[in-house]
Amino acid sequence: MDLAQRYTNVGVIGAAGKMGSGIALLLTHEMALRKTSPGAREERFKLTLMDVNDEALDGLKGYLRSQMRRLAEKSTVRLRAHYADRPDLVENGEIIQAYVDDALDLARFTTDLDQLAGCRLVFEAIAENIDLKVKIYKQVKKLAPEAFIFTNTSSIPIRLLDEQAGLGGGLVGFHFYNPPAVQRLLELITSPTTRDDLVADAQQIAKDLKKKVIPASDIAGFIGNGHFIRDGLYGIAEMEKLRGDYGFAGGTYMVNRVCQDWLIRPMGIFQLIDYVGVDVFQCILGVMNQFIEGEELHSDLIDELMKRGVRGGQNPDGSQKDGFFRYEKGQISAVYDLDKGDYQPIAAAWSDRFDKALGGLPDGHFPWRALSRDTSKTAKLEGYFGNLAKAEGLGARLGRDYLKRSKEIGEQLVSSGVAAKAEDVNGVLLNGFFHLYGPINDYA
Amino acid sequence: MKLRKKVYIAAGTYTISLGTGRKEFHPRKPRPGLEHYIIEAGQGVLAQVSDPRVIDECVVGNFMAARFNRQGNLAALMPTIHPSLEYKPSTRVEGACGSGGLAVMTAMKSILADLSDVVLVIGIEVQNTVKAIYGADVLAGAGHYASHRKNGHAYFFPSFFSDRAGAAFKKYGHDEVRRAMTQWFVNAIEAGRRCPEAQEHHNRVEDLHALGNTPPNPTAFVDNLNVFDCSKVSDGAAGLLVLSEEGLAKAGIAKKDAVEIVGCGTSVANLTELPADPTTLATSRSAVEKAYGMAGVSVKDLAFAEVHDCFSITGILMAEAAGICAQGEGFDFVSDGGTRPDGRLPMNLSGGLIGHGHYTGGTGVRQTVDNWKQLTGKAGDFQLEIPANRPHGLVISMGGNDKTVVVFVAKQA
């Protein structure tokens, strides 16, 4: 079956979730473009969007309607040609509305997995739970024997899933980054048993969805989480070292700052864990620990936080839930104090002591936001990291150590075969995590 | 043909041109509407006369309030400016982006017909009410819907002028034309920075040439223009008085604060047809020739020109239509700085449509106000020294794809 045929009947499982809804949007747009393209009018297209939560499916419908309008507004130059044979559609506004209607008409919203019968492409974006995934795949295999399955797993080896569900190489890892509709990076995970025609289709679909593909080997955590999880564990260990002198809240605040300011990253490590979710972090740790030998991938602190209900992640409206930090209008406002079991507001009177202990930033420092839009950022980064190498003070020392550890992690991903080359590791961090430089660099 | 009596312009004013680029502009926050701009511009004019009751009549130039703001019957909004305008005559005129020029011309006709001595003219458009992709639909009304819209581009008007740029690339060489278009953009922004009300007044971009040379993106926009070649989406209004000799006296306006319209010309071309030669603005040229003829002047008598540059290519072709350069020579003329404030013939000293902003139906009035400001020494940071032997200012107000054109030649009264 060629890919054009496969595109006519597509399903998304977990479509109303954070990742699933973005994947649903990308597929709606791609399928609607195919449906409305000149000459394709006779073909029938069906996109089945399945989720267990009926209420969330209503939210998905609204999300698709508003986001499809936005996409149509951006694609109007092209869409006018799609409707050239419709004399009743003249103005941009009429064409945009027609496209949104055509797009939503191809989507079916359901809580019933059986509705995926006959699907030819199935995208799965449910929780990182091996047993659940295997159970679902087995059902899909019965309902849609021809389907290729694309899993959004960010950590579970796909060969294991494929074999346990008896898919015969019909599963590929298609790891989108959050939010999928915006982030360009896609980690493509194949195993030696993955079918060649599926690999080819996966490459083409990634291209259709305008994604930048970085291949990763089928080793738990892949590249993105392979770096992030270890980077997070290092941050936690560094915080534990500072805890004696500065307390839990002080240590957390300091390590997060070092990561964001001294390393010029978009956010500090604990804010990033909050963004991903402490719960997700714990879950991925568990998966990686299960499959990766000779390395202790575990954190008592994360387990303790989960026990106390400190989970991070986002509310349905996109706002950040409490985690290591508490947030007001997206900005950090307080830090969790494990010793007190409560949040410590971050005001100058409190944080001064820790800022003084860290010391000033080295000369030539620019905030991440300013550099991210700077065409001469490479030269500026070289200058800054040159100064960091010679700088004194606790912040500079912690920064250098962090840089070194991040590089080690990156090199380990290459040497252990997770990534084929250093550029792939750097590419994931640059594109998926919005770092300004890859971990494998000459600065460390 | 000569004017049968003297006609003057005075008491000009304009609001800021609000849109992207202005610090006051927040896409998601509520903005002033038509009513605000009419009152601000109208009261700005009235503040310059001895008594608001001297106004005999109003004319308002507007293109598409019926779609941008779902509001028609704008003529009857004039009494909101001042109670004395209640029960006075008032007319709304429309000629696409040339509506403002037509409004001034309509007021002149009333003076010349001895129907009024003092006419208040407002030009207005508030178009940030819709996103650009829908605004393109509204502005497409300046072309012929039945003949051209269905097969036209999403960005309908930019594509007309993209085609003109493409024809110029073919005829004169891409790089030469592109260089001139970029220079036109640079001049426009630099001029806009000097005018406090201009939309680009807050522009602080360091390398304008690099920005102006941004490659076109045909999948999202048009083939031969980048977005910097285009005037922006603007909200704003301009106001002025058109007066007779008696009107000046009634309004208490000294001649030194007024300009005299010594020549005017209006031309239209068939809306249903595309231009025979896309590298010329034949209708504009026709109107310019009428105005020069009536004024008894030539391009040698001009101190500056205020022309319609909805796109960079339009501005350059306008220099040729105004006879400032021979056909095909406008590109080098602009590239070599001929239209800059220190050039042979300065153009668009407050930024033009690209630098000042383009509240479509109001732009012709704004241009006429700038002409008045220059000739009466009220232009502030963008004031030119007007040479005694070249005392005239030129205004070209254009609607559509060179379809409705109004031209004025003025000098200090």
Side-chain angles (χ1 to χ4, degrees):
Chain A
M1 193 186 314
D2 69 14
L3 182 57
Q5 286 172 298
R6 289 193 178 274
Y7 261 123
T8 58
N9 196 345
V10 180
V12 180
I13 304 170
K18 190 161 75 171
M19 301 301 287
S21 56
I23 296 167
L25 174 65
L26 292 168
L27 289 167
T28 306
H29 188 34
E30 177 60 26
M31 289 173 71
L33 285 173
R34 287 171 179 267
K35 174 183 168 181
T36 59
S37 68
R41 288 285 150 67
E42 301 313 313
E43 254 176 309
R44 226 171 135 261
F45 286 82
K46 191 167 130 190
L47 173 62
T48 306
L49 301 173
M50 186 266 163
D51 202 286
V52 289
N53 185 338
D54 205 20
E55 205 177 312
L57 282 173
D58 286 345
L60 174 64
K61 211 179 286 183
Y63 170 78
L64 288 182
R65 188 173 290 120
S66 65
Q67 293 303 307
M68 279 311 299
R69 172 166 292 278
R70 205 179 53 81
L71 288 170
E73 288 167 352
K74 283 186 169 179
S75 317
T76 314
V77 172
R78 171 181 185 185
L79 291 179
R80 288 190 73 86
H82 284 227
Y83 291 96
D85 60 349
R86 287 280 300 272
D88 56 321
L89 304 175
V90 180
E91 295 207 323
N92 294 337
E94 293 164 337
I95 283 163
I96 288 165
Q97 187 59 49
Y99 183 71
V100 173
D101 291 344
D102 278 337
L104 288 171
D105 283 351
L106 62 78
R108 320 281 159 98
F109 301 85
T110 181
T111 54
D112 178 7
L113 191 69
D114 289 349
Q115 296 299 315
L116 268 78
C119 275
R120 292 158 171 181
L121 299 171
V122 171
F123 293 78
E124 169 271 304
I126 62 172
E128 288 289 78
N129 179 320
I130 295 173
D131 294 341
L132 182 62
K133 283 186 197 281
V134 168
K135 185 178 143 208
I136 297 263
Y137 297 163
K138 282 182 175 165
Q139 284 174 268
V140 171
K141 179 78 182 163
K142 271 195 207 133
L143 291 162
E146 292 177 320
F148 282 157
I149 304 179
F150 296 71
T151 174
N152 188 50
T153 182
S154 65
S155 60
I156 306 170
I158 61 149
R159 182 172 181 169
L160 173 104
L161 293 169
D162 192 309
E163 285 175 357
Q164 288 196 7
L167 299 178
L171 178 76
V172 72
F174 219 55
H175 180 211
F176 290 88
Y177 275 68
N178 183 23
V182 178
Q183 286 256 41
R184 279 201 64 220
L185 179 67
L186 188 130
E187 267 183 286
L188 180 62
I189 302 108
T190 55
S191 84
T193 59
T194 313
R195 280 170 56 172
D196 291 343
D197 50 351
L198 169 53
V199 176
D201 282 357
Q203 294 276 9
Q204 183 57 44
I205 292 169
K207 205 169 156 193
D208 293 341
L209 305 185
K210 312 276 185 301
K211 296 299 163 196
K212 178 186 169 60
V213 172
I214 293 189
S217 297
D218 191 28
I219 296 172
F222 317 124
I223 300 174
N225 280 327
H227 187 277
F228 167 55
I229 294 294
R230 293 179 176 96
D231 203 49
L233 288 178
Y234 178 75
I236 291 168
E238 287 292 281
M239 183 272 289
E240 295 287 2
K241 282 192 220 162
L242 296 173
R243 194 172 167 181
D245 288 341
Y246 303 100
F248 181 88
T252 302
Y253 169 83
M254 288 166 77
V255 171
N256 196 68
R257 252 209 84 197
V258 165
C259 208
Q260 177 163 7
D261 295 339
W262 272 262
L263 300 192
I264 318 186
R265 288 185 180 181
M267 56 177 83
I269 188 65
F270 297 120
Q271 187 181 355
L272 181 59
I273 294 175
D274 284 352
Y275 178 76
V276 172
V278 177
D279 51 352
V280 175
F281 191 87
Q282 183 192 42
C283 171
I284 298 169
L285 259 178
V287 172
M288 287 175 65
N289 206 36
Q290 185 183 341
F291 294 104
I292 293 174
E293 287 172 11
E295 204 176 345
E296 175 69 7
L297 294 165
H298 177 78
S299 166
D300 289 338
L301 171 64
I302 293 289
D303 293 347
E304 177 61 27
L305 288 173
M306 285 297 290
K307 219 180 281 169
R308 295 191 188 196
V310 176
R311 305 169 68 93
Q314 278 109 48
N315 292 306
D317 68 356
S319 62
Q320 181 65 48
K321 291 184 196 167
D322 293 349
F324 279 95
F325 297 104
R326 175 169 284 169
Y327 301 83
E328 269 171 38
K329 291 180 183 162
Q331 301 296 314
I332 290 174
S333 63
V335 53
Y336 189 70
D337 190 335
L338 195 77
D339 306 324
K340 291 188 191 150
D342 201 1
Y343 284 85
Q344 163 67 46
I346 299 179
W350 177 81
S351 57
D352 259 2
R353 183 186 149 216
F354 310 112
D355 291 332
K356 280 202 184 101
L358 288 171
L361 288 159
D363 288 344
H365 178 268
F366 294 89
W368 174 86
R369 187 171 291 280
L371 274 195
S372 64
R373 280 174 268 160
D374 194 326
T375 47
S376 57
K377 62 171 165 262
T378 309
K380 285 177 178 159
L381 284 170
E382 271 171 26
Y384 166 74
F385 283 116
N387 294 337
L388 175 65
K390 293 172 280 182
E392 290 180 13
L394 180 59
R397 186 174 61 71
L398 293 172
R400 283 193 296 267
D401 290 350
Y402 219 117
L403 213 53
K404 218 174 283 170
R405 175 59 191 147
S406 173
K407 184 176 186 172
E408 273 171 22
I409 297 168
E411 288 172 338
Q412 182 191 345
L413 290 170
V414 179
S415 65
S416 62
V418 177
K421 49 190 190 297
E423 292 82 71
D424 288 348
V425 176
N426 288 349
V428 167
L429 273 295
L430 291 168
N431 293 286
F433 292 79
F434 297 109
H435 286 196
L436 299 174
Y437 55 94
I440 304 177
N441 56 53
D442 297 330
Y443 309 143
Chain B
M1 200 171 283
K2 294 282 173 196
L3 296 174
R4 57 179 288 276
K5 65 189 238 186
K6 291 196 174 191
V7 180
Y8 300 93
I9 304 282
T13 187
Y14 40 68
T15 68
I16 62 163
S17 177
L18 186 67
T20 57
R22 285 295 302 197
K23 284 181 181 161
E24 301 90 337
F25 181 75
H26 301 287
R28 280 179 237 287
K29 288 194 182 162
R31 284 179 294 278
L34 285 172
E35 298 77 6
H36 167 92
Y37 286 103
I38 287 174
I39 290 171
E40 186 183 338
Q43 293 184 348
V45 173
L46 295 190
Q48 300 176 61
V49 301
S50 53
D51 183 346
R53 286 171 297 184
V54 301
I55 310 287
D56 296 313
E57 181 181 350
C58 298
V59 181
V60 55
N62 171 264
F63 174 24
M64 276 287 188
R67 291 197 67 184
F68 280 126
N69 321 98
R70 302 182 182 190
Q71 183 63 61
N73 210 359
L74 296 194
L77 277 173
M78 294 302 109
T80 64
I81 298 169
H82 194 274
S84 68
L85 298 175
E86 190 89 342
Y87 305 139
K88 296 267 173 83
S90 181
T91 309
R92 176 265 176 103
V93 296
E94 190 273 308
C97 302
S99 301
L102 277 184
V104 177
M105 184 63 104
T106 303
M108 281 181 68
K109 288 179 180 173
S110 208
I111 301 289
L112 292 166
D114 291 337
L115 289 169
S116 294
D117 283 318
V118 184
V119 184
L120 170 63
V121 178
I122 302 286
I124 179 164
E125 204 78 55
V126 175
Q127 39 190 24
N128 279 297
T129 50
V130 295
K131 288 185 181 176
I133 190 71
Y134 303 108
D137 283 336
V138 177
L139 298 174
H144 192 237
Y145 179 86
S147 329
H148 302 132
R149 185 64 186 120
K150 176 60 191 168
N151 295 322
H153 195 278
Y155 291 95
F156 186 69
F157 259 85
S159 92
F160 275 154
F161 286 86
S162 169
D163 291 348
R164 286 184 182 272
F169 290 163
K170 222 169 173 180
K171 194 163 167 184
Y172 303 116
H174 174 275
D175 292 357
E176 185 181 345
V177 173
R178 183 62 253 179
R179 194 179 316 123
M181 286 163 64
T182 298
Q183 187 60 52
W184 186 275
F185 162 75
V186 172
N187 297 350
I189 304 302
E190 289 179 352
R193 287 170 177 170
R194 289 189 280 270
C195 175
E197 292 87 358
Q199 198 159 332
E200 299 298 341
H201 183 62
H202 300 136
N203 185 311
R204 294 290 173 269
V205 174
E206 280 175 28
D207 193 347
L208 287 172
H209 273 98
L211 196 61
N213 278 326
T214 304
N217 176 4
T219 59
F221 195 50
V222 294
D223 293 347
N224 303 312
L225 303 177
N226 61 46
V227 293
F228 305 103
D229 288 311
C230 311
S231 52
K232 287 182 169 178
V233 177
S234 315
D235 300 345
L240 52 77
L241 294 178
V242 181
L243 316 97
S244 64
E245 192 92 38
E246 295 78 6
L248 278 181
K250 280 190 210 170
I253 292 170
K255 281 216 173 153
K256 70 169 179 57
D257 294 325
V259 298
E260 181 190 348
I261 302 279
V262 293
C264 61
T266 307
S267 296
V268 297
N270 187 339
L271 187 66
T272 67
E273 291 173 0
L274 294 173
D277 176 359
T279 62
T280 63
L281 298 173
T283 318
S284 296
R285 169 167 283 268
S286 136
V288 165
E289 282 168 358
K290 287 179 203 173
Y292 285 167
M294 185 186 286
V297 301
S298 79
V299 71
K300 290 192 181 65
D301 301 304
L302 298 182
F304 63 91
E306 179 62 45
V307 304
H308 187 96
D309 61 333
C310 45
F311 303 94
S312 56
I313 184 72
T314 325
I316 302 162
L317 296 180
M318 276 292 179
E320 296 180 1
I324 295 163
C325 325
Q327 201 190 338
E329 290 176 9
F331 303 99
D332 282 348
F333 180 66
V334 170
S335 293
D336 295 344
T339 62
R340 292 171 64 84
D342 58 354
R344 175 160 70 79
L345 200 109
M347 291 169 81
N348 292 5
L349 289 151
S350 76
L353 282 61
I354 292 173
H356 190 102
H358 184 26
Y359 29 95
T360 48
T363 283
V365 180
R366 196 277 303 157
Q367 292 176 292
T368 311
V369 171
D370 269 323
N371 181 284
W372 165 79
K373 284 190 177 194
Q374 283 297 339
L375 292 172
T376 56
K378 300 181 197 303
D381 287 347
F382 58 97
Q383 180 68 50
L384 196 70
E385 201 174 320
I386 307 295
N389 61 341
R390 291 189 285 119
H392 295 91
L394 176 75
V395 174
I396 306 178
S397 169
M398 182 182 89
N401 188 5
D402 193 35
K403 291 303 180 193
T404 300
V405 182
V406 180
V407 176
F408 301 113
V409 176
K411 67 177 177 61
Q412 190 174 1

